[in-house]
Amino acid sequence: MDAPARTGASNAEKGASRATDKQRTSWTAWWVAYAQAAPMALVFLLFFILPLLATFVVSFWNYTEYSIEPAFVTTNYQDVFYGCVARLPGLCTTFATYLSTLKFVAIVWAATLAIGFTIAYFLAFHVRTLPMQIALFMVCTIPFWTSNVIRMISWIPLLGRNGLVNEILLSVGLISSPLEWLLYSDFAVALALVHLYTLFMVVPIFNSMMRIDRSLIEAAYDGGASGWQTLTNVIIPLVKPGILIGSIFVVTIVTGDYLTIGIMGGQQIASVGKVIQTQINFLQFPIAAANAIVLLAVVLLTIWGMLRLVDIRKEL
Amino acid sequence: MTDSRIKPAGVSRRTILKGSAALAGVAAAGKLSAFPTPAIAQEPVTLRYLSTAVNQSPAIAEKAGEELGINIEYIAVTTDDVAKRVITQPNSFDLVDTEYFALPKLLPSGNIMGLDASKIKLSDKIASVIRNGTVDGKKVGLDGTAPSEVLYLPAEQATEFAGEETGFLTLIPTTYNADTLGIRPDLIDGEVSSWASLLDPKFAGKAAILNIPSIGIMDAAMAIEARGDMTYGDKGNMTREEIDATIAALIEAKNNGQFRAFWTDFNESVNLMASGEVVIQSMWSPAVTAVRTQGIPCKYQPLKEGYRAWASGFGLPVTIADREKDAAYEFINWFLSGWAGAHLAKQGYYPAVLETTKEAMEPYEWAYWFEGQPAEQDIHAPDGKLLEEAGAVRDGGSYDERMGAVACWNAVMDENIYMIRKWNEFIAA
């Protein structure tokens, strides 16, 4: 199973030795690589690192209705976790919000993984020719030609009280009154999130599957493995990095999402993003910043945990 | 709409502009980009007009251009963003049209200045409901941030309100109105006559409220008080105990499935109502009109406890240059002179000066919009769309009946920060 991994490693070694031994490289000066990386690094510094630092700094500031004042106070963080200890075993706003988010993360992750893996498997192993694979893959991306808000909103006429689904069910006689839980509910949120983000699972898994040496599968068959055994013992271990990358996409996007939860949940379901938005709208920047830092920490922690499960560098 | 992950950047940019000394360099750059171009006397002056999109009629800008030679450049943002920009970027506009209830936040920032009443020709003709909270000589409800309480400043530049009438005004009214519940009469059995209906289990799963905390909580308070659960000292300025009790009642209603959805955007309320997802909700007047123009019955139901009113007006940033300032006064005077007021009145808003508006409207239009008379002819919106057929009567009746029945005004509470925390608790419940 390590054949592609080994080539990868040896390439990396070659690269490393080349970098250390300046004499054997081309005429390029040592600083050229830095110069090439500089524009992107600068963009990152200006538009990612600096704002992030500012957010972190501001999260310790004081604020009033109309101003924010430099200070070093931890009241914003105390406010974020207001009542979280006192109210136990009841849930404070922040814990309840994160718990609700976690629920969606779990549902959406499981659903996108199941659907994404199936689609990628079909594309990679059942479709025989490359042009057909590319064509079908393109078909998967067609929904992405419209904005995600449009894709989300298009569910509303389908799922509403007087929507298409309810009307069909009513006319067929399966139900006698419209189903209320189709829209503005947990179900609607999960459905829209799965719809929006399955492709983020398909792409990396498909990519990993395409890199599997077919002779490995033949060898498994020759060794007498059943289809299921091949899947669990050969394919799944080999596409782990793809699954992990897809999972990181889905988990981080769902954790920070508030548009989908807002629109499909009828704004009745809490999300961290919405809390932050409300606070920003009322000019409470420092507490919004504190919330953003907490959210960032949660996301980073999740990714760290996921990376512990699969050593992505080794596998790629 | 922006992705949540972009938000931190937005925060920090504004933060920087707000004037962190450490990052003064960036602040200077921000100022540079917004610096007005050097004025050349012959060129028409441009006024950057900051407000929500609802108040920005292209027809008004066009007419002002024709009659005054002033170039109006609209900057359209959301209600909350208007306040944010006034506080964080006062040099990015020359004229702001903002709500009176934002003033307790805006004024202490020192970024807006008073308007000199002596330069406003019709300043003493401004509607009495704004000037002193009376309609036809009778006092209206002044709960919340009533315009009459925040209208006057002791001097042109001040960070506190004057207790009495002075020569300097914070905002010159552009539009104001009385809000109530919108209902779908075709989907509701029986009459709706009280705010209590908003929380009535009869409408479980078919009610909606605003997810704008400062306004939503007042609608809830109207309903809770109407139900007889409690009486508020001032619905627009609740104590912590009142906020706790109100949010507790809202959480109970939410857990009992009272609400179908919450809305923040004008269009969301239109869609909820038009699709029949919701049959009763807090609503804004133009939204009711928008539902009706789709041919769907929708009523702006007058309620016995009265209306929640709001008012919006012109303010000037302290950073304004002289030439722009003169132009701004000229524009405001023109705005009050009739045509613009009539233009807005035909969309259902009330204008600052009633007398000039009356002159600029057809008598049958005035009778329909302001006197509560049945329409003699079809009523058209300014863009020519049919609003009402002949014979229709405005919901709630005449100006005096509607504005006279105001119970409270949109507000920012002293306990605003606490209230928002509790509101987020309600959303998470």
Side-chain angles (χ1 to χ4, degrees):
Chain A
M1 81 167 252
D2 270 333
R6 260 205 308 275
T7 12
S10 59
N11 274 337
E13 276 157 29
K14 267 183 246 158
S17 64
R18 243 184 255 138
T20 46
D21 193 355
K22 280 176 204 147
Q23 296 304 318
R24 270 200 272 157
T25 49
S26 59
W27 299 103
T28 333
W30 62 270
W31 50 266
V32 169
Y34 288 97
Q36 284 169 333
M40 195 62 208
L42 202 67
V43 168
F44 255 68
L45 185 75
L46 277 178
F47 297 104
F48 182 65
I49 306 287
L50 273 183
L52 203 61
L53 279 176
T55 307
F56 185 71
V57 169
V58 169
S59 73
F60 292 100
W61 286 16
N62 256 329
Y63 64 101
T64 66
E65 294 286 336
Y66 47 85
S67 69
I68 57 175
E69 288 139 16
F72 186 81
V73 292
T74 52
T75 44
N76 298 317
Y77 288 94
Q78 285 165 19
D79 282 349
V80 169
F81 294 108
Y82 173 78
C84 287
V85 181
R87 211 176 290 177
L88 285 172
L91 288 171
C92 61
T93 313
T94 301
F95 284 179
T97 306
Y98 276 97
L99 193 70
S100 149
T101 306
L102 196 70
K103 182 183 72 189
F104 286 118
V105 168
I107 296 171
V108 174
W109 177 76
T112 51
L113 180 61
I115 300 170
F117 188 89
T118 314
I119 294 172
Y121 188 88
F122 175 80
L123 283 177
F125 296 116
H126 280 266
V127 182
R128 298 283 164 180
T129 62
L130 189 63
M132 198 59 190
Q133 277 177 333
I134 294 171
L136 288 177
F137 188 77
M138 291 305 285
V139 169
C140 287
T141 65
I142 284 179
F144 279 71
W145 294 359
T146 57
S147 96
N148 65 348
V149 177
I150 301 283
R151 274 178 289 147
M152 202 183 328
I153 287 174
S154 54
W155 281 107
I156 291 175
L158 242 71
L159 301 176
R161 182 176 287 141
N162 306 311
L164 210 57
V165 173
N166 268 325
E167 267 174 24
I168 290 173
L169 290 177
L170 278 171
S171 64
V172 175
L174 278 172
I175 50 171
S176 53
S177 62
L179 297 174
E180 300 277 330
W181 53 265
L182 285 178
L183 188 60
Y184 303 134
S185 59
D186 287 0
F187 167 79
V189 173
L191 181 74
L193 286 172
V194 169
H195 171 219
L196 289 177
Y197 301 130
T198 297
L199 194 67
F200 288 106
M201 215 44 130
V202 175
V203 175
I205 296 179
F206 176 66
N207 183 42
S208 287
M209 281 179 177
M210 291 303 280
R211 289 156 54 139
I212 295 175
D213 192 338
R214 298 304 146 110
S215 54
L216 291 173
I217 296 164
E218 282 164 26
Y221 274 114
D222 292 347
S226 68
W228 180 254
Q229 283 172 322
T230 315
L231 183 72
T232 52
N233 291 314
V234 179
I235 295 172
I236 290 182
L238 284 175
V239 297
K240 257 197 205 160
I243 293 175
L244 184 76
I245 293 170
S247 303
I248 289 177
F249 277 135
V250 170
V251 168
T252 51
I253 293 173
V254 175
T255 312
D257 179 278
Y258 72 97
L259 265 185
T260 316
I261 296 180
I263 293 177
M264 301 307 289
Q267 302 195 21
Q268 296 213 58
I269 300 167
S271 58
V272 189
K274 183 70 199 179
V275 171
I276 295 175
Q277 192 200 24
T278 308
Q279 286 160 345
I280 289 177
N281 281 343
F282 283 83
L283 297 159
Q284 304 177 348
F285 293 135
I287 189 172
N291 258 313
I293 295 292
V294 172
L295 175 63
L296 185 70
V298 169
V299 170
L300 287 179
L301 217 64
T302 320
I303 295 176
W304 176 78
M306 290 165 83
L307 287 173
R308 299 271 297 193
L309 293 177
V310 181
D311 186 347
I312 207 165
R313 282 197 194 154
K314 197 184 102 203
E315 301 278 350
L316 276 180
Chain B
M1 297 197 178
T2 44
D3 190 299
S4 60
R5 280 161 303 144
I6 302 172
K7 281 289 173 191
V11 181
S12 56
R13 186 172 61 83
R14 294 196 182 94
T15 318
I16 289 162
L17 286 171
K18 173 65 193 153
S20 148
L23 299 168
V26 187
K31 273 186 185 133
L32 272 182
S33 62
F35 203 78
T37 43
I40 302 163
Q42 291 80 6
E43 269 190 22
V45 59
T46 296
L47 287 180
R48 294 165 300 166
Y49 179 141
L50 172 71
S51 79
T52 57
V54 184
N55 291 9
Q56 301 180 339
S57 161
I60 291 177
E62 198 181 310
K63 192 86 172 171
E66 277 170 29
E67 298 193 353
L68 306 173
I70 293 173
N71 194 6
I72 298 290
E73 187 185 305
Y74 284 131
I75 307 170
V77 296
T78 64
T79 310
D80 295 323
D81 276 331
V82 173
K84 251 188 276 176
R85 274 185 83 143
V86 172
I87 290 175
T88 58
Q89 302 164 62
N91 41 20
S92 67
F93 60 92
D94 304 308
L95 188 63
V96 60
D97 185 355
T98 185
E99 289 207 43
Y100 280 83
F101 81 81
L103 281 172
K105 276 199 290 193
L106 302 183
L107 197 65
S109 72
N111 287 346
I112 60 166
M113 66 171 155
L115 288 117
D116 188 344
S118 63
K119 290 198 215 163
I120 308 281
K121 282 180 215 125
L122 294 167
S123 65
D124 54 340
K125 290 274 193 298
I126 290 171
S128 61
V129 70
I130 304 292
R131 276 190 295 124
N132 51 32
T134 60
V135 171
D136 198 21
K138 287 190 287 277
K139 212 92 184 138
V140 301
L142 293 179
D143 273 16
T145 312
S148 56
E149 291 165 359
V150 294
L151 187 61
Y152 298 105
L153 290 179
E156 188 172 35
Q157 296 220 7
T159 50
E160 274 174 22
F161 300 107
E164 72 244 304
E165 200 172 322
T166 65
F168 294 99
L169 303 168
T170 48
L171 300 176
I172 301 292
T174 48
T175 50
Y176 54 96
N177 212 333
D179 285 357
T180 182
L181 297 178
I183 59 166
R184 281 282 299 266
D186 55 328
L187 299 178
I188 284 182
D189 296 327
E191 289 287 301
V192 170
S193 63
S194 164
W195 279 88
S197 296
L198 187 60
L199 296 175
D200 188 342
K202 187 174 137 190
F203 302 116
K206 292 180 176 176
I209 60 171
L210 270 107
N211 192 7
I212 299 176
S214 55
I215 308 177
I217 198 164
M218 290 186 76
D219 285 347
M222 290 292 278
I224 291 164
E225 198 174 63
R227 207 162 62 168
D229 288 7
M230 61 187 284
T231 351
Y232 292 86
D234 180 345
K235 279 186 282 293
N237 198 6
M238 299 184 194
T239 62
R240 285 197 175 207
E241 291 72 37
E242 286 172 338
I243 294 170
D244 287 345
T246 310
I247 295 292
L250 278 175
I251 289 176
E252 193 196 331
K254 185 185 174 189
N255 291 339
N256 291 337
Q258 178 70 10
F259 304 114
R260 181 64 169 154
F262 304 145
W263 62 268
T264 36
D265 180 62
F266 164 87
N267 292 310
E268 287 169 350
S269 71
V270 174
N271 291 338
L272 285 172
M273 208 62 165
S275 65
E277 296 293 339
V278 163
V279 299
I280 182 166
Q281 63 174 349
S282 32
M283 225 172 162
W284 297 339
S285 152
V288 176
T289 312
V291 175
R292 275 196 210 157
T293 44
Q294 295 181 30
I296 295 163
C298 182
K299 193 171 181 205
Y300 212 32
Q301 180 66 45
L303 304 167
K304 61 180 184 226
E305 294 85 10
Y307 296 86
R308 176 181 48 71
W310 57 270
S312 185
F314 286 128
L316 297 179
V318 285
T319 49
I320 194 167
D322 286 344
R323 189 158 179 261
E324 276 77 18
K325 192 174 170 183
D326 292 343
Y329 273 107
E330 196 185 344
F331 176 70
I332 292 170
N333 275 317
W334 172 82
F335 200 92
L336 299 182
S337 70
W339 188 89
H343 183 83
L344 293 165
K346 287 183 221 170
Q347 298 169 43
Y349 296 112
Y350 289 135
V353 182
L354 298 174
E355 289 85 345
T356 54
T357 304
K358 186 175 183 180
E359 285 161 24
M361 286 179 109
E362 297 294 328
Y364 75 91
E365 288 178 322
W366 176 262
Y368 172 80
W369 289 112
F370 288 84
E371 292 178 337
Q373 309 280 341
E376 275 173 39
Q377 306 175 28
D378 288 353
I379 298 292
H380 294 272
D383 61 5
K385 253 191 228 153
L386 180 71
L387 283 185
E388 291 293 344
E389 287 175 19
V393 182
R394 181 171 189 174
D395 289 341
S398 69
Y399 175 89
D400 288 359
E401 281 174 81
R402 294 185 79 242
M403 285 315 290
V406 164
C408 59
W409 295 81
N410 279 2
V412 173
M413 304 184 185
D414 294 340
E415 290 287 357
N416 196 29
I417 290 170
Y418 181 76
M419 190 273 285
I420 285 161
R421 183 203 288 163
K422 295 298 284 186
W423 185 269
N424 278 330
E425 207 175 299
F426 162 53
I427 298 296

